[in-house]
Amino acid sequence: MAHFSIETLWFRRFNQFGLVNARYSNVRLYMTCRKIQLTFFIMLSVTLQIYACEKNEFPYSDESRPLVKALDACDISEVRRLLAENESPTDYANTDFTPIHYAAARGAVEALALMLDISKDMELREKDVQGRTPLFTAVNLHRVDVVQYLLKRGANANATTLHGYTVLHMAAGEHEEALEIVELLVKAGANVNATTPYGTSVLMSALNVGYEDVVEFILAQGADTNKQDLEQDTALHYAAYQSNPKIIIALLRHGADPSMKNAKGLIPEDVAAENNHLEVEKLLEQSRKHKSPNKTLQPTQKPRG
């Protein structure tokens, strides 16, 4: 699954038909596409997780591969035997995943331990066709125990995909209960200010789905609230699409500038207005007009009209 690259591909497809120019002139269409894309992949990720749990198998199972078949059967003795006979845990076999990625997806910690012991942890850096390490797979399917184990073994918490997205980008923009994994990654050294080649920050990924606890945690770790992506959107532009005043206030309290313009000359307040988020619009207008918004706003206060 091309998890994050789809955003770029999505807009390139639209550009082919002239619906969105190179600077995303239609802000509402741009933001709607972004939200639909993220919602789709969140639903897909959760569906895969439910499928794996209920059916006790992974959708991409391939029984022609001995190691995968043994993992499906939860047969650790067979896994051990196959590894002893030099069965490769990094063989793609004409698929987009390896047995070690499959083990991470299945939550097979004991099998992972065997594979890593034999390879002297080399498989920690093994990547699938999208450039994702087993840690990405575990994060994507919310396998907390596997994430903990891989990080303990020394998995790179700042590994990137072929498209430059880090594990923390994925975790912050994924599950509703992502905070535990986000905390584990940050504790392991994940960079909260990492950006993709498209300028997308970890904070922006979190804001795309808008889970308050994740956003608050990332802010508390020193995330830069005024970074701009390739379209010069800031975290406040991203947040302005969501109708959540608490997140707006959190960003303002951590130094977000409500007067910064994107490539179209729009400030976050304009984005909120285009999406009919009147409360957010008023809050941004109020903060922009005051030099010290931290003193005029409280986290539980609603802005006055």
Side-chain angles (χ1 to χ4, degrees):
M1 294 178 292
H3 185 83
F4 286 107
S5 60
I6 197 72
E7 181 176 356
T8 300
L9 295 175
W10 186 291
F11 290 117
R12 285 178 181 172
R13 291 283 191 273
F14 270 88
N15 287 343
Q16 289 177 0
F17 301 104
L19 297 179
V20 183
N21 68 20
R23 305 305 276 177
Y24 303 153
S25 60
N26 189 326
V27 174
R28 183 169 295 178
L29 178 59
Y30 160 51
M31 297 303 290
T32 300
C33 290
R34 174 181 284 174
K35 186 174 183 180
I36 291 172
Q37 172 256 315
L38 280 161
T39 302
F40 172 77
F41 280 103
I42 290 168
M43 290 175 64
L44 181 58
S45 178
V46 172
T47 300
L48 290 178
Q49 186 176 6
I50 293 173
Y51 188 102
C53 292
E54 291 186 351
K55 300 296 184 181
N56 196 32
E57 59 184 39
F58 193 61
Y60 301 115
S61 177
D62 180 2
E63 291 191 357
S64 66
R65 303 166 73 182
L67 262 180
V68 172
K69 187 175 181 180
L71 288 166
D72 266 339
C74 299
D75 189 343
I76 195 66
S77 296
E78 180 66 2
V79 170
R80 185 179 289 105
R81 184 188 69 79
L82 289 167
L83 291 172
E85 293 180 358
N86 296 320
E87 185 75 24
S88 174
T90 59
D91 179 24
Y92 283 95
N94 298 318
T95 66
D96 62 355
F97 68 96
T98 70
I100 197 161
H101 286 86
Y102 188 79
R106 287 296 309 271
V109 174
E110 189 175 357
L112 278 170
L114 288 173
M115 295 177 187
L116 294 173
D117 287 342
I118 287 175
S119 69
K120 297 182 180 179
D121 291 337
M122 289 296 293
E123 272 85 10
L124 286 171
R125 298 187 294 276
E126 185 67 25
K127 294 189 174 185
D128 65 10
V129 294
Q130 292 296 326
R132 296 169 297 197
T133 63
L135 183 59
F136 275 94
T137 305
V139 168
N140 190 43
L141 289 173
H142 203 66
R143 300 290 194 186
V144 179
D145 55 341
V146 177
V147 172
Q148 289 175 319
Y149 180 74
L150 291 174
L151 290 173
K152 185 177 180 180
R153 291 291 296 249
N156 184 3
N158 287 301
T160 60
T161 66
L162 292 177
H163 304 283
Y165 286 85
T166 68
V167 191
L168 194 54
H169 279 96
M170 175 177 282
E174 278 284 333
H175 304 275
E176 186 174 358
E177 299 177 354
L179 182 59
E180 184 177 5
I181 287 180
V182 169
E183 290 175 337
L184 287 170
L185 291 170
V186 171
K187 185 177 180 180
N191 181 9
V192 295
N193 281 310
T195 56
T196 71
Y198 318 110
T200 308
S201 68
V202 171
L203 179 58
M204 290 170 183
S205 289
L207 289 167
N208 269 322
V209 289
Y211 298 130
E212 293 175 21
D213 56 351
V214 175
V215 171
E216 289 276 9
F217 177 78
I218 292 171
L219 287 171
Q221 304 308 305
D224 185 345
T225 55
N226 291 313
K227 275 184 179 288
Q228 292 177 289
D229 64 14
L230 288 187
E231 297 307 315
Q232 297 180 32
D233 286 322
T234 67
L236 273 179
H237 285 91
Y238 280 68
Y241 183 71
Q242 307 286 345
S243 183
N244 191 331
K246 289 184 179 180
I247 287 181
I248 296 291
I249 292 173
L251 289 168
L252 292 170
R253 284 181 168 275
H254 283 84
D257 184 351
S259 64
M260 290 183 70
K261 296 180 180 181
N262 64 13
K264 291 300 298 177
L266 299 175
I267 59 177
E269 185 181 320
D270 298 327
V271 176
E274 283 218 0
N275 288 279
N276 297 315
H277 297 323
L278 301 183
E279 186 177 351
V280 169
E281 179 190 359
K282 289 179 181 178
L283 180 58
L284 287 167
E285 179 184 13
Q286 179 185 357
S287 64
R288 181 173 54 82
K289 290 180 177 179
H290 288 79
K291 292 185 178 180
S292 302
N294 289 356
K295 296 180 181 180
T296 61
L297 300 173
Q298 298 297 326
T300 56
Q301 276 188 313
K302 289 186 178 180
R304 296 177 182 177

